[in-house]
Amino acid sequence: MNIGIICYASVGGSGIVATELGKVLARRGHQVHFISTETPFRLGEFQAGLYFHQVLTPTYPLFREPQYLLSLANKVVQVARDSQLDVIHAHYAVPHATAAFLARQVLGANGGAAPRVVTTLHGTDITLVGSDSSYREIVAFSIEQSDAVTAVSDSLRASTVEQLAVSRPIDVIPNFLDVSVHRRLEVPDLRRRFCGDDPETRLVIHVSNFRPVKRIDAVMEIFDRIRRRVPARLLLVGDGPELPMAQRMARELGFASLVHAVGAQEEVLPLMSSADVFLLPSAQESFGLAALEAMSCGVPVVASAVGGLPEVIEHGVSGFLHPPAALDDMAESAVAVLRDPELRCRIGEAASRRVRERFSAERVVPMYEACYAGVVARDR
Ligand code: GMT
């Protein structure tokens, strides 16, 4: 099949999922055309069957804002014509589902053959951005008009129905990892770099885009409670608007020397593999791809019991979930795994087993293929 994937190229779960999906689809014999502003983060080495089409959005003195929606829709039309796309797969509804809808209208005008549109909802495109009254009507319309819609969790499907009053069917296709690559690596040198030579010092990690929804202040508060009870270091991976606040909090709480902030990194597996516990106290998380990455490396996750996280982590079995306000409880769970190597191992093994059994590319990518086959076979 010829598939056009529209995604954000910047660091972020939706772009990572779209990129990994495209890579696996190409390995399974499809022709995959990424359409984005830059080469997608994590695209990696050249792979047969993968193409990249850059969206350029020219500026003009009359415009106060670049016209991204128009240039994107225009590029989708060109790629669809040149490459005879069967399916346009929009990852993240805003504005990608709308661009796909526009492109399909253009291609189908005058009775032309138009590709089918599949939209995958990722989370903030519904819970934060799409439900904002400035975007709501258009986002809901674009979702209704897609030929198929998928959401990354049951929780996100329910939020979409509730917040956008969407009435069409939405299939749940969870996020996934290539489990042949996503596994624990042995990285003693890296661990020593962060923790020094003391074998008792534990490494706590947080990976995100450092936006307010991630509650970085809670990460810092939880770590403050942990480091008073266990010798520990905090590894912050990623960048975003809340990072300076995190560094200020570390100084004010007196543990700046225990924090390593390494910025946005393409290769997170070695960093995840060197950690003992992952903190994710988000206010909202439709799935929690970073948690899944930590779990694949056998790292216990301590997270908020919000959104889709309870579909990923079973409390007390493959990680720990607490109400977002329960910082003491999150610290308590983290201290328990940091102090008890046997518990850490048991939870870590259950976590990596869960990823392999429920969230592997082998299990999930065929769900997308079935979705594409369904829309292509269906009469419009
Ligand atoms: O909010 C973000 O962190 C970015 C956003 C994105 O662009 O990818 O993340 C959302 O999509 C991810 C991939 O499906 C999910 O794993 C994240 O849980 C989701 N974020 C939120 O719901 C806050």
Side-chain angles (χ1 to χ4, degrees), residues 106-300:
V106 173
L107 290 158
N110 306 318
R116 304 302 160 118
V117 171
V118 175
T119 296
T120 290
L121 310 174
H122 280 273
T124 47
D125 46 353
I126 300 301
T127 56
L128 283 180
V129 190
S131 52
D132 187 295
S133 63
S134 301
Y135 296 119
R136 196 174 176 278
E137 307 299 334
I138 294 300
V139 174
F141 174 82
S142 308
I143 290 171
E144 294 282 9
Q145 292 294 319
S146 300
D147 295 296
V149 178
T150 76
V152 298
S153 62
D154 260 321
S155 153
L156 180 58
R157 170 166 61 183
S159 302
T160 308
V161 171
E162 188 192 309
Q163 298 184 20
L164 297 186
V166 166
S167 58
R168 56 154 311 123
I170 299 174
D171 297 323
V172 174
I173 302 186
N175 287 335
F176 64 91
L177 294 174
D178 179 347
V179 296
S180 66
V181 177
H182 280 85
R183 45 182 62 249
R184 192 175 185 85
L185 307 174
E186 286 311 318
V187 280
D189 289 349
L190 194 54
R191 195 185 154 82
R192 213 170 298 122
R193 208 182 170 91
F194 299 124
C195 293
D197 287 325
D198 175 14
E200 295 305 312
T201 300
R202 302 290 180 238
L203 189 60
V204 178
I205 191 169
H206 171 78
V207 182
S208 79
N209 52 15
F210 288 78
R211 301 207 177 270
V213 71
K214 303 292 175 184
R215 292 177 73 229
I216 308 301
D217 52 342
V219 172
M220 304 313 278
E221 298 261 8
I222 297 166
F223 180 73
D224 190 31
R225 288 161 169 78
I226 296 171
R227 60 110 190 178
R228 290 172 192 277
R229 298 169 62 190
V230 183
R233 302 285 184 271
L234 175 62
L235 178 56
L236 297 176
V237 184
D239 205 348
E242 300 286 286
L243 185 57
M245 178 275 295
Q247 284 164 324
R248 195 182 61 242
M249 272 184 83
R251 282 194 300 275
E252 287 169 3
L253 293 167
F255 61 80
S257 63
L258 306 183
V259 178
H260 300 272
V262 296
Q265 297 287 328
E266 202 155 325
E267 285 290 326
V268 292
L269 288 185
L271 298 166
M272 289 285 197
S273 298
S274 49
D276 298 300
V277 73
F278 182 98
L279 300 181
L280 193 63
S282 305
Q284 180 52 251
E285 206 66 70
S286 68
F287 185 89
L289 186 68
L292 198 68
E293 292 186 316
M295 291 165 71
S296 73
C297 297
V299 178

Side-chain angles (χ1 to χ4, degrees), residues 293-372:
E293 292 186 316
M295 291 165 71
S296 73
C297 297
V299 178
V301 177
V302 177
S304 298
V306 293
L309 280 168
E311 296 169 48
V312 178
I313 298 166
E314 310 135 284
H315 175 67
V317 178
S318 49
F320 298 90
L321 296 170
H322 297 286
L327 301 189
D328 285 335
D329 292 343
M330 291 197 209
E332 195 60 47
S333 289
V335 167
V337 288
L338 294 178
R339 279 189 174 157
D340 181 350
E342 205 183 296
L343 176 67
R344 190 165 77 232
C345 240
R346 178 154 42 84
I347 301 282
E349 276 171 16
S352 80
R353 200 177 323 118
R354 186 162 169 81
V355 176
R356 270 156 246 290
E357 286 173 4
R358 302 281 295 259
F359 304 105
S360 69
E362 286 74 16
R363 181 169 183 271
V364 175
V365 174
M367 297 183 195
Y368 280 113
E369 289 177 313
C371 172
Y372 300 155

